Amino acid sequence: MFERPKSGERAILVHIDIAGHSDPDEIQEFKDLAASAGAEAVAFLGGSRQHPDPRFFIGRGKAEEIKHTVLAEKAELVIFDHDLSPSQERNLEREFDCRVIDRTGLILDIFAQRARSFEGKLQVELAQLQHLSTRLVRGWTHLERQKGGIGLRGPGETQLETDRRLLHQRIEQIKKRLKRVDSQREQGRRGREKADIPTVSLVGYTNAGKSTLFNTLVGSGVYAADQLFATLDPTLRRLDLKGEGPVVIADTVGFISHLPHDLVAAFKSTLQETTEASLLLHVVDAASPQRATCISEVNDVLQQIGAEGVHQIEVFNKIDLLEGKAPGIDRNENGQVIRVWLSAITGEGIDLLQQALGEFFRHNHIRQRLKLQPKEGRLHALLYERGSVLSEHCTDSGGWLMEVDMSEREFLRLLKEVPELLHCCVD
């Protein structure tokens, strides 16, 4: 039994190669995660093992090395780039006499710092409590309430049991609140479906530039920075595509390798925007040497949440960091857009992305000849505003004979706005 040490910012980072697997980019990502959480890394220790040790995860020799480094550097925290079992975490804390957290705890801490909305904070708290519930193991001296001695004996609930009960009560409360929030989201989705407004969801590895692209596309003010998980809360904005009508663009949380299962489960309602989207824009850091791995990691998470069947267009961002690379569109053998090369920060290629979106939603088009009277100037202006006029001739009466091309969805929406459109159609 021991008093669990308090946390601090001076941290020792530990990464162990298991079964000979070594990836320098994973180590750099781990360091970036620690920096994003606000840790002051005073030392980095590596090593290798064929299998994790059941007691310490690391071997006895490595544990001694870390213990000496903790004392020498006056470290307050040891962060492992691995998932530790509750008993391993407890044994390491007892050995080092300082706080120990694993990769999941580190990511949860970053998410707790980034969450801004009511829903985001609830989702993060749920994931943290679910993670903590596995850590409520005897190892904290204050978690025992029963006392011995005359007048103090008898049945009673241990503090550990009390904490576990209160923890589960809080988890149930959060789940009920999130259920209400999810119901509100579902109403919004049904409203968009009723109005026949499709959703385009931005997905991608963290720090690929999704929020910057989102801001450039819709002129929003979503926080964007060159750091992991700069934004967490999902944001939805309307984008009007010329000739195709409005779509809703959804900016979602960035993915990362070995994304904690608790987070995927807790963010299920948020990620549902992705599973029910009409199209996914898979944003990729084109300048990253590990872009193929990042694409694979994102697709793995999409499969976990059931979004692997949603059509994707890859958006290779940050071409400003690639020497001599110009904006462009890649197509498959059928002429369909599969990839767009652009720079969200400079705006190069944004017009190509809008073109690609227009092409994707350009199905079930209607080509119609219309005869408008002079009094129907508002409808005349709307047709030009939607960018769907193919030709126009003035009539002797001062009206217009027009040929238009627009999606069935946009035609029906315009018909609701201006019912007299139906009487203007020429067979």
Side-chain angles (χ1 to χ4, degrees):
M1 302 285 281
F2 70 105
E3 194 71 41
R4 195 172 195 203
K6 295 182 179 179
S7 185
E9 305 300 327
R10 291 177 61 82
I12 292 174
L13 309 184
V14 180
H15 176 90
I16 305 297
D17 296 328
I18 301 297
H21 173 74
S22 178
D23 188 344
D25 292 288
E26 283 189 5
I27 294 175
Q28 186 56 51
E29 181 178 270
F30 173 43
K31 292 178 178 179
D32 291 341
L33 281 171
S36 296
E40 178 190 349
V42 296
F44 175 86
L45 296 177
S48 61
R49 286 185 64 86
Q50 280 301 114
H51 305 284
D53 179 74
R55 186 181 181 200
F56 289 123
F57 186 87
I58 52 178
R60 166 58 68 179
K62 182 60 67 176
E64 288 291 335
E65 181 185 354
I66 295 173
K67 184 175 181 179
H68 291 316
T69 308
V70 168
L71 293 173
E73 298 292 342
K74 295 182 174 57
E76 304 158 301
L77 179 67
V78 177
I79 306 175
F80 278 73
D81 189 23
H82 312 276
D83 285 331
L84 302 175
S85 70
S87 62
Q88 287 170 341
E89 189 175 296
R90 187 175 68 257
N91 292 337
L92 289 167
E93 288 189 345
R94 184 184 290 113
E95 184 72 17
F96 302 152
D97 195 25
C98 73
R99 284 296 294 266
V100 173
I101 64 171
D102 61 3
R103 181 183 176 87
T104 296
L106 178 63
I107 294 176
L108 287 172
D109 184 83
I110 296 171
F111 272 50
Q113 294 179 46
R114 301 285 191 266
R116 294 291 178 269
S117 71
F118 174 71
E119 180 186 11
K121 290 177 180 178
L122 283 178
Q123 288 171 324
V124 171
E125 185 182 355
L126 175 61
Q128 286 180 315
L129 292 178
Q130 288 174 330
H131 183 65
L132 178 62
S133 65
T134 66
R135 265 65 185 160
L136 282 183
V137 186
R138 291 174 62 88
W140 289 260
T141 56
H142 70 280
L143 293 183
E144 179 64 61
R145 187 196 297 171
Q146 294 184 120
K147 305 288 185 180
I150 298 173
L152 296 175
R153 297 189 183 94
E157 186 175 46
T158 67
Q159 187 63 47
L160 179 64
E161 291 168 342
T162 302
D163 283 10
R164 184 178 288 118
R165 176 171 51 80
L166 294 175
L167 193 68
H168 288 307
Q169 286 179 356
R170 178 60 180 163
I171 287 174
E172 289 306 312
Q173 287 176 355
I174 293 174
K175 285 182 176 179
K176 288 179 181 177
R177 290 187 182 182
L178 283 174
K179 193 172 182 180
R180 289 197 293 269
V181 174
D182 190 36
S183 176
Q184 295 170 355
R185 279 190 174 276
E186 183 60 32
Q187 288 177 358
R189 280 191 288 267
R190 284 200 299 266
R192 292 196 296 273
E193 288 175 5
K194 190 174 181 180
D196 197 20
I197 300 177
T199 300
V200 178
S201 187
L202 299 180
V203 298
Y205 211 76
T206 183
N207 207 29
K210 295 187 308 303
S211 295
T212 303
L213 178 61
F214 182 82
N215 289 337
T216 304
L217 271 175
V218 301
S220 183
V222 171
Y223 177 68
D226 185 18
Q227 60 183 20
L228 302 183
F229 302 117
T231 53
L232 175 62
D233 300 308
T235 309
L236 283 74
R237 294 289 186 273
R238 172 179 168 137
L239 173 67
D240 288 306
L241 294 175
K242 191 174 182 181
E244 301 303 320
V247 297
V248 170
I249 306 291
D251 184 21
T252 60
V253 61
F255 300 151
I256 197 170
S257 62
H258 314 301
L259 189 67
H261 177 74
D262 286 342
L263 274 180
V264 175
F267 279 76
K268 186 177 179 181
S269 61
T270 299
L271 295 173
Q272 196 168 351
E273 294 290 352
T274 299
T275 62
E276 299 187 2
S278 304
L279 173 68
L280 300 182
L281 292 183
H282 185 162
V283 185
V284 179
D285 182 351
S288 170
Q290 296 300 313
R291 69 189 187 195
T293 303
C294 294
I295 291 172
S296 177
E297 293 286 355
V298 170
N299 287 331
D300 285 345
V301 177
L302 291 176
Q303 188 170 17
Q304 287 182 48
I305 63 176
E308 70 275 13
V310 183
H311 189 86
Q312 278 190 34
I313 292 179
E314 291 180 344
V315 179
F316 274 41
N317 187 26
K318 304 187 182 181
I319 63 168
D320 52 298
L321 302 179
L322 297 175
E323 187 175 351
K325 183 61 182 178
I329 291 180
D330 295 343
R331 301 177 183 271
N332 61 16
E333 60 275 8
N334 298 321
Q336 296 173 323
V337 177
I338 58 173
R339 188 175 301 110
V340 180
W341 297 78
L342 55 76
S343 171
I345 197 76
T346 66
E348 294 178 280
I350 294 297
D351 56 332
L352 297 179
L353 178 58
Q354 292 177 330
Q355 175 188 327
L357 290 173
E359 286 185 27
F360 179 80
F361 291 108
R362 192 171 296 130
H363 57 84
N364 296 328
H365 264 228
I366 292 176
R367 181 171 286 199
Q368 181 68 52
R369 293 177 67 220
L370 302 171
K371 187 174 183 180
L372 275 63
Q373 300 301 322
K375 64 180 181 179
E376 291 162 336
R378 174 172 172 263
L379 176 57
H380 179 264
L382 281 174
L383 290 169
Y384 269 100
E385 184 181 311
R386 305 295 164 89
S388 54
V389 178
L390 298 177
S391 64
E392 174 187 295
H393 302 284
C394 292
T395 63
D396 295 337
S397 63
W400 304 272
L401 187 61
M402 310 176 72
E403 186 175 10
V404 299
D405 182 0
M406 64 178 68
S407 67
E408 183 179 8
R409 176 171 62 90
E410 185 64 18
F411 183 83
L412 292 175
R413 182 177 293 108
L414 191 59
L415 189 60
K416 288 181 181 179
E417 294 179 28
V418 190
E420 56 266 29
L421 171 65
L422 187 62
H423 304 293
C424 300
C425 296
V426 177
D427 294 334

Short mmCIF file of all heavy atoms in Angstrom, two decimals, residues 172 309 345 381 390 394:
data_model
loop_
_atom_site.label_atom_id
_atom_site.label_comp_id
_atom_site.label_asym_id
_atom_site.label_seq_id
_atom_site.Cartn_x
_atom_site.Cartn_y
_atom_site.Cartn_z
N GLU A 172 -22.91 6.54 -15.86
CA GLU A 172 -24.29 6.40 -16.33
C GLU A 172 -24.94 7.77 -16.57
O GLU A 172 -25.70 7.94 -17.51
CB GLU A 172 -25.11 5.59 -15.31
CG GLU A 172 -24.74 4.11 -15.26
CD GLU A 172 -24.81 3.45 -16.62
OE1 GLU A 172 -25.83 3.63 -17.30
OE2 GLU A 172 -23.85 2.77 -17.00
N GLY A 309 -17.58 1.99 -46.01
CA GLY A 309 -18.34 1.94 -47.25
C GLY A 309 -18.67 3.30 -47.84
O GLY A 309 -19.19 3.39 -48.96
N ILE A 345 -3.35 26.16 -46.95
CA ILE A 345 -2.80 27.37 -46.33
C ILE A 345 -2.64 28.50 -47.34
O ILE A 345 -2.82 29.66 -47.02
CB ILE A 345 -1.44 27.06 -45.63
CG1 ILE A 345 -1.08 28.17 -44.64
CG2 ILE A 345 -0.34 26.83 -46.63
CD1 ILE A 345 -1.84 28.14 -43.37
N ALA A 381 -33.18 35.87 -62.10
CA ALA A 381 -31.95 36.14 -61.33
C ALA A 381 -31.50 34.90 -60.56
O ALA A 381 -30.30 34.60 -60.46
CB ALA A 381 -32.19 37.30 -60.38
N LEU A 390 -27.68 27.56 -69.55
CA LEU A 390 -26.88 27.15 -70.70
C LEU A 390 -27.02 28.14 -71.85
O LEU A 390 -26.04 28.43 -72.55
CB LEU A 390 -27.31 25.75 -71.18
CG LEU A 390 -27.12 24.60 -70.17
CD1 LEU A 390 -27.66 23.31 -70.77
CD2 LEU A 390 -25.65 24.45 -69.80
N CYS A 394 -33.99 36.60 -75.60
CA CYS A 394 -35.10 37.49 -75.21
C CYS A 394 -36.29 37.26 -76.14
O CYS A 394 -36.13 37.07 -77.36
CB CYS A 394 -34.66 38.95 -75.29
SG CYS A 394 -33.42 39.38 -74.06
#
